[in-house]
Amino acid sequence: MDVLHTTKDLYDWALSKGDPRVEAWPLMESPVPVLTLVALYLVMVYHGPRVMVQQKPVSLNSVLVVYNLGLVGLSAYMFYEFLVTSVQAGYSLRCQPVNYSNDPLALRMASVCWWYFFSKIIEFLDTTFFILRKKNEQITFLHVYHHSTMPLNWWLGVKFVAGGQAWFLAMLNCFVHILMYTYYGLSALGPHMQKYLWWKRYLTILQLSQFFAVILHTGYNMTTDCDFPIGFNYAVFIYAITLVLLFSNFFMHTYTSKEDQHTQVKGRPTHTITIAKHSYDNSKEELNTVTITKHTNDNSKEELNTVTITKHTYDNSKEELNTATIAKHSYDNSKGELNTLTITQRESLTQLR
């Protein structure tokens, strides 16, 4: 019982140190609501794909366009508020304590910090849409880690340090999200937009750059005599390092490894394709045909349209399609044809279904 009383006293003491200006704001009175939302999110991440195994993917293109462009608008609003408020209030990049007064600019900064926190709750829908569309390969550790920790981090930020030093990283992230959700919104318009979305690699580089900027900004503040809670600086510094490591791994896996495996076929670059449809012959345990609906092609205005898989090996014990040779296709190229293309990347059968 003494442990329970001590824990309760510590909990009450911690809440008493919160910013009284935000106590009555939605979700801010105690951590219970946001902890509940994060717990439900993690339950969804675990059980959602299992529930969808026997279901068909849900077509959400129109919803995704509205959702992503809505987040572009929200991110643009928050970026504007962070930038304009910090300039008008004379914020310093080197050291910026929190202004806990009811000054209009201080309240304006606290308000946009709350909207930034709430936007992280809204972004749970990113994962929801992946699950409904059966894009389970997108639900990586990085994705879940980032989406589940940001609401907790920013609940603490708004509750105790609404403004001050934390303004810089939030403003940077809003700018990145303007571009990121623009990319996703355009992508949701359909395959015909792919030729305009060549800049995904640079978006990842921009995401990494913001974390390095946060590390430099916070690291410098940690070495100065600044009236900003040092514990929050340490937390932000360590968290940014974890994101640099995870995003660097994603970048290496997504881009660098693909470049290393890039091969030439008849003097032309190998095409990167996404398989979106197939027919599966259960009686023969063979994957027979696939239709390509999205690809990247280094040759302008040339399209790889359809392919038929005529040879493959199938490991029943591991339920994996190991290799496949494409021997039939249609290829829009007046100067010649790409006769064969070998897929060497292992594809999970459950993903192809």
Side-chain angles (χ1 to χ4, degrees), residues 86 91-97 154 163-172 209-224 226 228 230 232-234 236-238 240-241:
S86 62
Y91 269 36
S92 170
L93 282 171
R94 292 181 294 179
C95 171
Q96 184 55 53
W154 272 89
Q165 193 73 9
W167 127 88
F168 178 73
L169 67 92
M171 183 180 69
L172 276 185
S209 299
Q210 72 168 324
F211 300 133
F212 280 115
V214 169
I215 289 172
L216 290 174
H217 178 251
T218 306
Y220 175 81
N221 187 256
M222 289 163 57
T223 65
T224 63
C226 184
F228 185 85
I230 191 64
F232 279 92
N233 273 334
Y234 282 126
V236 169
F237 187 81
I238 294 171
I241 290 175

Side-chain angles (χ1 to χ4, degrees), residues 185-249:
L186 292 174
S187 180
L189 291 173
H192 66 283
M193 295 300 298
Q194 293 305 309
K195 59 186 175 182
Y196 302 112
L197 300 177
W198 49 266
W199 42 280
K200 182 179 181 181
R201 169 200 294 262
Y202 302 102
L203 185 58
T204 305
I205 292 173
L206 183 62
Q207 287 175 307
L208 270 169
S209 299
Q210 72 168 324
F211 300 133
F212 280 115
V214 169
I215 289 172
L216 290 174
H217 178 251
T218 306
Y220 175 81
N221 187 256
M222 289 163 57
T223 65
T224 63
D225 184 17
C226 184
D227 188 18
F228 185 85
I230 191 64
F232 279 92
N233 273 334
Y234 282 126
V236 169
F237 187 81
I238 294 171
Y239 186 66
I241 290 175
T242 66
L243 292 178
V244 165
L245 294 175
L246 289 171
F247 270 88
S248 296
N249 179 67

Side-chain angles (χ1 to χ4, degrees), residues 64-325:
L64 289 174
V65 171
V66 174
Y67 169 72
N68 286 302
L69 295 184
L71 281 178
V72 170
L74 179 58
S75 298
Y77 163 75
M78 292 187 295
F79 175 76
Y80 173 83
E81 285 294 295
F82 278 122
L83 179 62
V84 172
T85 306
S86 62
V87 170
Q88 292 184 355
Y91 269 36
S92 170
L93 282 171
R94 292 181 294 179
C95 171
Q96 184 55 53
V98 180
N99 183 349
Y100 291 103
S101 74
N102 289 316
D103 175 80
L105 286 176
L107 289 173
R108 184 177 177 181
M109 181 61 78
S111 176
V112 69
C113 285
W114 182 89
W115 275 108
Y116 183 74
F117 152 72
F118 189 68
S119 73
K120 302 308 169 187
I121 302 294
I122 296 173
E123 288 170 15
F124 283 166
L125 289 174
D126 291 355
T127 315
T128 304
F129 294 144
F130 282 148
I131 292 172
L132 292 175
R133 296 165 64 215
K134 301 186 77 168
K135 301 288 186 179
N136 297 335
E137 69 279 2
Q138 302 285 350
I139 309 173
T140 61
F141 175 79
L142 167 59
H143 177 88
V144 176
Y145 171 75
H146 185 55
H147 278 68
S148 60
T149 54
M150 283 296 286
L152 299 175
N153 293 344
W154 272 89
W155 184 88
L156 292 169
V158 176
K159 183 69 175 178
F160 298 101
V161 287
Q165 193 73 9
W167 127 88
F168 178 73
L169 67 92
M171 183 180 69
L172 276 185
N173 190 241
C174 287
F175 176 75
V176 172
H177 277 204
I178 293 171
L179 300 177
M180 186 181 78
Y181 284 107
T182 296
Y183 177 92
Y184 292 147
L186 292 174
S187 180
L189 291 173
H192 66 283
M193 295 300 298
Q194 293 305 309
K195 59 186 175 182
Y196 302 112
L197 300 177
W198 49 266
W199 42 280
K200 182 179 181 181
R201 169 200 294 262
Y202 302 102
L203 185 58
T204 305
I205 292 173
L206 183 62
Q207 287 175 307
L208 270 169
S209 299
Q210 72 168 324
F211 300 133
F212 280 115
V214 169
I215 289 172
L216 290 174
H217 178 251
T218 306
Y220 175 81
N221 187 256
M222 289 163 57
T223 65
T224 63
D225 184 17
C226 184
D227 188 18
F228 185 85
I230 191 64
F232 279 92
N233 273 334
Y234 282 126
V236 169
F237 187 81
I238 294 171
Y239 186 66
I241 290 175
T242 66
L243 292 178
V244 165
L245 294 175
L246 289 171
F247 270 88
S248 296
N249 179 67
F250 168 79
F251 185 88
M252 296 291 289
H253 179 75
T254 304
Y255 302 108
T256 306
S257 60
K258 286 185 178 180
E259 289 179 355
D260 292 341
Q261 296 172 3
H262 199 68
T263 59
Q264 298 293 324
V265 179
K266 284 198 170 182
R268 293 181 179 276
T270 298
H271 300 79
T272 301
I273 57 178
T274 298
I275 297 176
K277 287 184 180 179
H278 72 283
S279 63
Y280 183 72
D281 187 345
N282 291 310
S283 63
K284 297 181 179 179
E285 292 188 345
E286 290 184 355
L287 182 66
N288 298 317
T289 62
V290 294
T291 300
I292 310 283
T293 59
K294 184 171 69 173
H295 74 283
T296 59
N297 190 327
D298 291 333
N299 302 312
S300 61
K301 297 183 179 179
E302 295 180 355
E303 294 185 354
L304 181 64
N305 299 314
T306 61
V307 297
T308 301
I309 295 180
T310 58
K311 181 181 177 183
H312 72 279
T313 59
Y314 181 71
D315 186 343
N316 291 306
S317 63
K318 296 182 179 179
E319 291 190 347
E320 288 184 354
L321 182 66
N322 298 318
T323 63
T325 301

